[in-house]
Every structure is written in C-alpha cells, then in structure tokens.
Coordinates of all heavy atoms in Angstrom, one line a residue:
M1 N 19.6 25.9 16.3 CA 18.8 27.1 16.4 C 17.5 26.8 17.1 O 16.9 25.8 16.9 CB 18.5 27.5 14.9 CG 18.1 29.0 14.8 SD 17.9 29.4 13.1 CE 16.1 29.1 12.9
S2 N 17.1 27.7 18.0 CA 15.8 27.5 18.7 C 14.6 28.0 18.0 O 14.7 29.0 17.3 CB 15.9 28.0 20.1 OG 15.5 29.4 20.1
E3 N 13.5 27.2 18.0 CA 12.3 27.6 17.4 C 11.2 27.5 18.4 O 11.3 26.7 19.4 CB 12.0 26.5 16.3 CG 12.7 26.8 15.0 CD 12.2 25.9 13.9 OE1 11.1 25.4 13.9 OE2 13.1 25.6 13.0
S4 N 10.1 28.2 18.2 CA 8.9 28.1 19.1 C 7.7 27.7 18.3 O 7.5 28.2 17.1 CB 8.6 29.4 19.7 OG 9.7 29.8 20.6
I5 N 6.9 26.8 18.9 CA 5.6 26.4 18.2 C 4.5 26.5 19.3 O 4.7 26.3 20.5 CB 5.6 25.0 17.6 CG1 6.2 24.0 18.7 CG2 6.4 24.9 16.3 CD1 5.9 22.5 18.2
G6 N 3.3 26.9 18.8 CA 2.1 26.9 19.6 C 1.2 25.8 19.1 O 0.8 25.9 17.9
L7 N 0.8 24.9 19.9 CA 0.0 23.8 19.5 C -1.4 23.8 20.2 O -1.4 24.2 21.4 CB 0.6 22.4 19.8 CG 2.0 22.2 19.2 CD1 2.7 20.9 19.8 CD2 1.9 22.0 17.7
T8 N -2.4 23.4 19.5 CA -3.7 23.2 20.2 C -3.8 21.8 20.6 O -3.7 20.9 19.8 CB -4.8 23.6 19.2 OG1 -4.7 24.9 18.8 CG2 -6.2 23.3 19.8
V9 N -3.9 21.6 21.9 CA -3.9 20.2 22.5 C -5.2 20.0 23.2 O -5.6 20.8 24.1 CB -2.7 20.1 23.5 CG1 -2.7 18.7 24.2 CG2 -1.3 20.2 22.7
T10 N -5.8 18.9 22.9 CA -7.1 18.6 23.5 C -6.9 17.5 24.6 O -6.0 16.7 24.5 CB -8.1 18.1 22.5 OG1 -7.6 17.0 21.8 CG2 -8.5 19.2 21.5
G11 N -7.8 17.5 25.5 CA -7.8 16.4 26.6 C -7.2 16.8 27.9 O -7.3 16.1 28.8
M12 N -6.6 18.0 28.0 CA -6.1 18.5 29.3 C -7.2 19.1 30.1 O -7.9 20.0 29.6 CB -5.0 19.6 29.0 CG -3.7 19.1 28.3 SD -2.4 20.3 28.3 CE -3.2 21.7 27.4
K13 N -7.4 18.5 31.3 CA -8.6 18.9 32.1 C -8.2 19.7 33.4 O -9.1 20.2 34.0 CB -9.4 17.7 32.5 CG -9.8 16.8 31.3 CD -11.3 16.9 31.1 CE -11.8 16.0 30.0 NZ -11.6 16.6 28.7
C14 N -6.9 19.6 33.7 CA -6.6 20.3 35.0 C -5.1 20.6 35.0 O -4.3 20.2 34.1 CB -6.9 19.4 36.2 SG -6.0 17.9 36.2
G15 N -4.6 21.1 36.2 CA -3.2 21.4 36.3 C -2.3 20.1 36.3 O -1.2 20.2 35.9
G16 N -2.9 19.0 36.7 CA -2.2 17.8 36.7 C -1.8 17.3 35.3 O -0.8 16.8 35.0
C17 N -2.8 17.6 34.4 CA -2.5 17.3 32.9 C -1.4 18.2 32.4 O -0.6 17.7 31.6 CB -3.8 17.5 32.1 SG -5.2 16.4 32.6
E18 N -1.5 19.4 32.8 CA -0.4 20.4 32.3 C 0.9 19.9 32.8 O 1.9 19.9 32.1 CB -0.7 21.8 32.9 CG -1.9 22.4 32.4 CD -2.2 23.7 33.1 OE1 -1.5 24.1 34.1 OE2 -3.2 24.4 32.8
T19 N 1.0 19.4 34.1 CA 2.3 19.0 34.6 C 2.7 17.7 33.9 O 3.9 17.5 33.6 CB 2.1 18.7 36.1 OG1 1.6 19.8 36.8 CG2 3.4 18.2 36.8
N20 N 1.8 16.8 33.6 CA 2.1 15.6 32.9 C 2.7 15.9 31.5 O 3.8 15.4 31.2 CB 0.8 14.8 32.7 CG 1.0 13.4 32.1 OD1 2.1 13.0 31.9 ND2 -0.1 12.8 31.8
V21 N 2.0 16.7 30.7 CA 2.5 17.1 29.4 C 3.8 17.8 29.5 O 4.8 17.5 28.7 CB 1.5 18.0 28.7 CG1 2.0 18.6 27.4 CG2 0.3 17.1 28.3
T22 N 3.9 18.8 30.4 CA 5.2 19.5 30.5 C 6.3 18.6 30.9 O 7.4 18.8 30.3 CB 5.0 20.6 31.6 OG1 3.9 21.5 31.2 CG2 6.2 21.5 31.7
G23 N 6.1 17.7 31.8 CA 7.2 16.8 32.3 C 7.7 15.9 31.1 O 8.9 15.7 30.9
K24 N 6.7 15.4 30.4 CA 7.1 14.5 29.3 C 7.8 15.2 28.2 O 8.8 14.7 27.6 CB 5.9 13.7 28.8 CG 5.5 12.7 29.8 CD 4.4 11.7 29.4 CE 4.3 10.6 30.4 NZ 2.9 10.3 30.7
L25 N 7.4 16.4 27.9 CA 8.0 17.2 26.8 C 9.4 17.6 27.3 O 10.4 17.6 26.5 CB 7.2 18.4 26.4 CG 6.0 18.1 25.6 CD1 5.1 19.3 25.4 CD2 6.4 17.5 24.2
T26 N 9.5 18.0 28.5 CA 10.8 18.5 29.0 C 11.9 17.4 29.0 O 13.1 17.6 28.8 CB 10.7 19.1 30.5 OG1 9.7 20.1 30.4 CG2 12.0 19.7 31.0
A27 N 11.4 16.1 29.1 CA 12.3 15.0 29.1 C 12.8 14.6 27.7 O 13.8 13.9 27.5 CB 11.6 13.7 29.7
L28 N 12.2 15.2 26.7 CA 12.6 15.0 25.3 C 13.8 15.8 25.0 O 13.8 17.1 25.2 CB 11.5 15.4 24.4 CG 11.7 15.2 22.9 CD1 11.8 13.7 22.5 CD2 10.6 15.8 22.0
A29 N 14.9 15.2 24.5 CA 16.1 15.9 24.2 C 15.9 17.0 23.2 O 15.2 16.8 22.2 CB 17.2 14.9 23.7
G30 N 16.4 18.2 23.5 CA 16.2 19.3 22.6 C 15.1 20.3 23.0 O 15.0 21.4 22.4
V31 N 14.2 19.9 23.9 CA 13.2 20.8 24.4 C 13.7 21.7 25.4 O 14.4 21.3 26.4 CB 12.0 20.0 24.9 CG1 11.0 21.0 25.6 CG2 11.3 19.2 23.8
I32 N 13.6 23.0 25.2 CA 14.1 24.1 26.0 C 13.1 24.5 27.1 O 13.5 24.7 28.2 CB 14.6 25.2 25.1 CG1 15.7 24.8 24.2 CG2 15.1 26.4 26.0 CD1 15.9 25.7 23.0
S33 N 11.9 24.8 26.6 CA 10.9 25.2 27.6 C 9.5 24.9 27.1 O 9.3 24.7 25.9 CB 11.0 26.7 27.9 OG 10.6 27.5 26.8
V34 N 8.6 24.7 28.1 CA 7.2 24.3 27.7 C 6.3 25.1 28.6 O 6.5 25.3 29.8 CB 7.0 22.8 28.1 CG1 5.6 22.4 27.7 CG2 8.0 21.9 27.4
K35 N 5.2 25.6 27.9 CA 4.1 26.2 28.7 C 2.8 25.6 28.3 O 2.4 25.6 27.1 CB 4.0 27.7 28.3 CG 5.0 28.6 29.1 CD 4.7 30.1 29.0 CE 5.9 30.9 29.5 NZ 6.5 31.8 28.5
A36 N 2.1 25.0 29.2 CA 0.9 24.3 28.9 C -0.2 25.0 29.7 O -0.1 25.4 30.9 CB 0.9 22.8 29.4
A37 N -1.4 25.2 29.0 CA -2.5 25.9 29.6 C -3.8 25.1 29.3 O -4.2 25.2 28.1 CB -2.6 27.3 29.2
H38 N -4.3 24.3 30.2 CA -5.5 23.5 29.9 C -6.7 24.3 29.5 O -7.5 23.9 28.7 CB -5.8 22.5 31.0 CG -6.4 23.0 32.2 ND1 -5.7 23.6 33.2 CD2 -7.7 23.1 32.6 CE1 -6.5 24.0 34.2 NE2 -7.8 23.7 33.8
K39 N -6.9 25.5 30.1 CA -8.1 26.3 29.8 C -8.1 26.8 28.4 O -9.1 27.0 27.8 CB -8.1 27.5 30.8 CG -8.7 27.0 32.2 CD -8.8 28.2 33.1 CE -9.0 27.7 34.5 NZ -8.7 28.8 35.5
E40 N -6.9 27.0 27.9 CA -6.8 27.5 26.5 C -6.5 26.3 25.5 O -6.4 26.6 24.3 CB -5.6 28.5 26.4 CG -6.0 29.9 26.9 CD -5.8 30.0 28.4 OE1 -4.9 29.4 28.9 OE2 -6.6 30.7 29.0
N41 N -6.4 25.1 26.0 CA -6.0 24.0 25.2 C -4.7 24.3 24.4 O -4.6 23.9 23.2 CB -7.1 23.6 24.1 CG -8.3 23.0 24.8 OD1 -8.2 22.3 25.8 ND2 -9.5 23.2 24.2
S42 N -3.8 24.9 25.1 CA -2.6 25.3 24.4 C -1.3 24.8 25.0 O -1.3 24.7 26.3 CB -2.5 26.9 24.2 OG -2.1 27.4 25.4
V43 N -0.4 24.4 24.2 CA 0.9 24.0 24.6 C 1.9 24.8 23.7 O 1.9 24.6 22.5 CB 1.2 22.5 24.6 CG1 2.6 22.2 24.9 CG2 0.2 21.8 25.5
S44 N 2.8 25.6 24.4 CA 3.8 26.3 23.6 C 5.1 25.6 24.0 O 5.4 25.4 25.1 CB 3.9 27.7 24.0 OG 2.6 28.3 23.8
V45 N 5.9 25.4 22.9 CA 7.2 24.7 23.1 C 8.3 25.4 22.4 O 8.2 25.8 21.2 CB 7.2 23.2 22.6 CG1 8.5 22.5 22.9 CG2 6.0 22.4 23.1
E46 N 9.4 25.7 23.2 CA 10.6 26.2 22.5 C 11.6 25.0 22.5 O 11.8 24.3 23.5 CB 11.2 27.3 23.4 CG 12.4 28.0 22.8 CD 13.0 29.0 23.7 OE1 12.5 29.2 24.9 OE2 14.0 29.6 23.3
F47 N 12.2 24.8 21.3 CA 13.0 23.7 21.1 C 14.2 24.0 20.2 O 14.1 24.9 19.4 CB 12.2 22.5 20.6 CG 11.6 22.6 19.3 CD1 12.2 22.1 18.1 CD2 10.5 23.4 19.1 CE1 11.7 22.2 16.9 CE2 9.9 23.6 17.8 CZ 10.5 23.0 16.7
D48 N 15.2 23.1 20.3 CA 16.4 23.2 19.5 C 16.1 22.4 18.2 O 16.0 21.2 18.3 CB 17.6 22.7 20.2 CG 18.9 22.7 19.4 OD1 18.8 23.1 18.2 OD2 19.9 22.4 19.9
A49 N 15.9 23.1 17.1 CA 15.6 22.4 15.9 C 16.7 21.5 15.3 O 16.4 20.7 14.4 CB 15.1 23.4 14.8
D50 N 17.9 21.6 15.8 CA 19.0 20.7 15.4 C 18.9 19.4 16.2 O 19.5 18.4 15.8 CB 20.3 21.4 15.7 CG 20.6 22.6 14.8 OD1 20.1 22.6 13.7 OD2 21.2 23.5 15.3
T51 N 18.1 19.4 17.3 CA 18.1 18.2 18.1 C 16.8 17.4 18.0 O 16.8 16.2 18.1 CB 18.4 18.6 19.6 OG1 19.6 19.3 19.7 CG2 18.5 17.4 20.5
T52 N 15.7 18.1 17.9 CA 14.4 17.5 17.8 C 13.5 18.2 16.8 O 13.9 19.2 16.2 CB 13.7 17.4 19.2 OG1 12.6 16.5 19.1 CG2 13.3 18.7 19.7
T53 N 12.3 17.6 16.6 CA 11.4 18.1 15.5 C 10.0 18.3 16.1 O 9.7 17.8 17.1 CB 11.3 17.1 14.4 OG1 10.8 15.9 14.9 CG2 12.7 16.8 13.7
E54 N 9.3 19.1 15.3 CA 7.9 19.3 15.7 C 7.1 18.0 15.7 O 6.3 17.8 16.6 CB 7.2 20.3 14.7 CG 5.8 20.7 15.0 CD 5.3 21.8 14.2 OE1 6.0 22.6 13.7 OE2 4.0 21.9 14.1
A55 N 7.5 17.1 14.8 CA 6.8 15.8 14.7 C 7.1 15.0 16.0 O 6.2 14.3 16.5 CB 7.2 15.0 13.5
A56 N 8.3 15.0 16.5 CA 8.7 14.3 17.7 C 7.9 14.9 18.9 O 7.5 14.1 19.8 CB 10.2 14.3 17.9
I57 N 7.8 16.2 18.9 CA 7.1 16.8 20.0 C 5.6 16.4 20.0 O 5.0 16.1 21.1 CB 7.2 18.4 19.9 CG1 8.7 18.7 20.3 CG2 6.2 19.1 20.8 CD1 9.1 20.1 19.9
K58 N 5.0 16.4 18.9 CA 3.6 16.0 18.7 C 3.4 14.5 19.2 O 2.4 14.2 19.8 CB 3.1 16.2 17.3 CG 2.9 17.7 17.0 CD 2.4 17.8 15.5 CE 2.1 19.3 15.2 NZ 1.8 19.5 13.8
Q59 N 4.4 13.7 18.8 CA 4.3 12.3 19.2 C 4.3 12.1 20.7 O 3.6 11.3 21.2 CB 5.5 11.6 18.5 CG 5.5 10.1 18.7 CD 4.3 9.4 17.9 OE1 4.2 9.7 16.7 NE2 3.5 8.6 18.6
V60 N 5.2 12.9 21.4 CA 5.2 12.8 22.9 C 3.8 13.2 23.4 O 3.4 12.5 24.4 CB 6.3 13.7 23.4 CG1 6.2 13.9 24.9 CG2 7.7 13.2 23.1
I61 N 3.2 14.2 22.9 CA 1.9 14.6 23.4 C 0.8 13.5 23.2 O 0.1 13.2 24.1 CB 1.5 15.9 22.8 CG1 2.5 17.0 23.2 CG2 0.1 16.3 23.1 CD1 2.3 18.4 22.4
T62 N 0.8 12.9 22.0 CA -0.2 11.9 21.7 C 0.1 10.6 22.5 O -0.8 10.0 23.0 CB -0.3 11.6 20.2 OG1 1.0 11.3 19.7 CG2 -0.8 12.8 19.4
D63 N 1.4 10.3 22.7 CA 1.8 9.2 23.5 C 1.3 9.4 25.0 O 1.1 8.4 25.7 CB 3.3 8.9 23.5 CG 3.8 8.3 22.2 OD1 2.9 7.9 21.4 OD2 5.0 8.2 22.0
A64 N 1.2 10.6 25.4 CA 0.8 10.9 26.8 C -0.7 10.8 26.9 O -1.3 11.0 28.0 CB 1.3 12.3 27.2
G65 N -1.4 10.6 25.8 CA -2.8 10.4 25.8 C -3.7 11.6 25.4 O -4.9 11.6 25.6
F66 N -3.0 12.6 24.9 CA -3.7 13.9 24.5 C -3.8 14.0 23.0 O -3.1 13.3 22.3 CB -3.0 15.1 25.1 CG -2.9 15.0 26.6 CD1 -1.7 14.7 27.3 CD2 -4.1 15.2 27.4 CE1 -1.7 14.6 28.6 CE2 -4.0 15.1 28.8 CZ -2.8 14.8 29.4
G67 N -4.6 14.9 22.6 CA -4.8 15.1 21.1 C -4.1 16.3 20.7 O -4.1 17.4 21.4
V68 N -3.5 16.3 19.5 CA -2.9 17.5 18.9 C -3.7 17.8 17.6 O -3.9 17.0 16.8 CB -1.4 17.3 18.6 CG1 -0.8 18.6 18.0 CG2 -0.7 16.9 19.8
E69 N -4.2 19.1 17.5 CA -4.9 19.5 16.3 C -4.0 20.1 15.3 O -2.9 20.7 15.7 CB -6.0 20.4 16.7 CG -7.1 19.6 17.4 CD -8.3 20.5 17.8 OE1 -8.3 21.7 17.5 OE2 -9.3 19.9 18.3
Ligands
LIG1 CU1 -5.9 16.6 34.5

C-alpha cells in the first residue's frame, strides 16, 4: 500500500541539494516518488509501506548529511 509523508528537512541550500536528496531517496527500494523544495525545507515522499518505512527514509536523508525534524 502506498503512503505519503511530508518531512521538514534542514540543510538544503540549492537545487543541487534537492537533486542529491531526491536521487538518494529514489534509489531506496520502495520509494515511488520524491519532491524536495529547499526554500520550504520540505521533502515529500510517496512510498510502498510494504517495502520500506518512514524510519528508513529518514535514515537516507540524515546519511546524505541533512537534518530531519
Ligand atoms: Cu545545495
């Protein structure tokens, strides 16, 4: 079943950061779509809850060097 979450992500300063976060999240199995907006400090993720978890998604973001509130 697909779920959507909206996260507040700190540390994104430009479009390159958005691309970085989007690419790393898209590489995670179960992630369906990602929208990152550095000006809003927001990352929205649609994912298959049978394949991955919100915790795994947050881990990818922090591993990429950003903060999740
Ligand atoms: Cu950047």
Side-chain angles (χ1 to χ4, degrees):
M1 203 177 91
S2 85
E3 280 185 31
S4 293
I5 50 169
L7 300 169
T8 299
V9 174
T10 56
M12 295 189 297
K13 305 250 181 277
C14 66
C17 298
E18 293 172 359
T19 302
N20 184 9
V21 166
T22 302
K24 287 190 168 134
L25 285 172
T26 303
L28 181 68
V31 170
I32 297 161
S33 70
V34 180
K35 276 191 195 122
H38 74 277
K39 282 181 189 162
E40 281 83 35
N41 288 331
S42 79
V43 175
S44 303
V45 184
E46 185 186 359
F47 64 101
D48 178 358
D50 293 328
T51 306
T52 192
T53 61
E54 183 169 339
I57 288 164
K58 287 179 175 172
Q59 187 68 50
V60 168
I61 295 171
T62 54
D63 286 351
F66 302 102
V68 181
E69 289 182 356

